[in-house]
Amino acid sequence: MASEATLRQVLERLEKSLASLEDAVDLRLEHEGDFAEAEEEVQRMNMDRRKLAQELDASEGRAERLEAANKEVSRRLVAAMESIRTVLDR
């Protein structure tokens, strides 16, 4: 009888250990899933950052072209105004 009780106790301890191991594995898998989701989010954010950087570069280029065109228009307006003054002064 004592050996049956001991065997029963050992089996109960084994079952508890297996349940604890299963819980630990489930927790680990859950954490790995969370980590994978976080890694995917970081990748999405990096892609968004690259896209925004490209759009910013394009906008800066467009702003530089507009500024150059504005300067050219201003130069032409000054020249036209000087021509008009010259004609009016005659």
Side-chain angles (χ1 to χ4, degrees), residues 3 10 18 24 28 35-37 42 44 55 59 65 78 89:
S3 64
V10 168
L18 286 174
R28 175 67 186 233
F35 179 74
E37 289 175 12
V42 167
R44 280 191 296 274
E55 289 176 2
S59 293
R65 289 189 304 276
V78 168
D89 286 344

Side-chain angles (χ1 to χ4, degrees), residues 32-77:
E32 285 180 8
D34 291 344
F35 179 74
E37 289 175 12
E39 182 65 28
E40 289 173 5
E41 181 65 21
V42 167
Q43 289 177 358
R44 280 191 296 274
M45 290 172 68
N46 282 334
M47 287 175 32
D48 287 345
R49 185 193 59 78
R50 281 191 293 273
K51 180 182 174 187
L52 290 171
Q54 289 173 345
E55 289 176 2
L56 178 60
D57 289 343
S59 293
E60 287 175 342
R62 188 172 65 243
E64 289 172 3
R65 289 189 304 276
L66 287 171
E67 185 177 352
N70 187 29
K71 286 179 182 178
E72 177 63 20
V73 167
S74 179
R75 185 190 65 75
R76 289 182 183 185
L77 281 172

Side-chain angles (χ1 to χ4, degrees), residues 2-16:
S3 64
E4 285 182 28
T6 304
L7 179 60
R8 191 173 304 124
Q9 290 173 343
V10 168
L11 289 174
E12 287 175 6
R13 286 178 47 209
L14 178 61
E15 285 179 19
K16 287 180 183 178

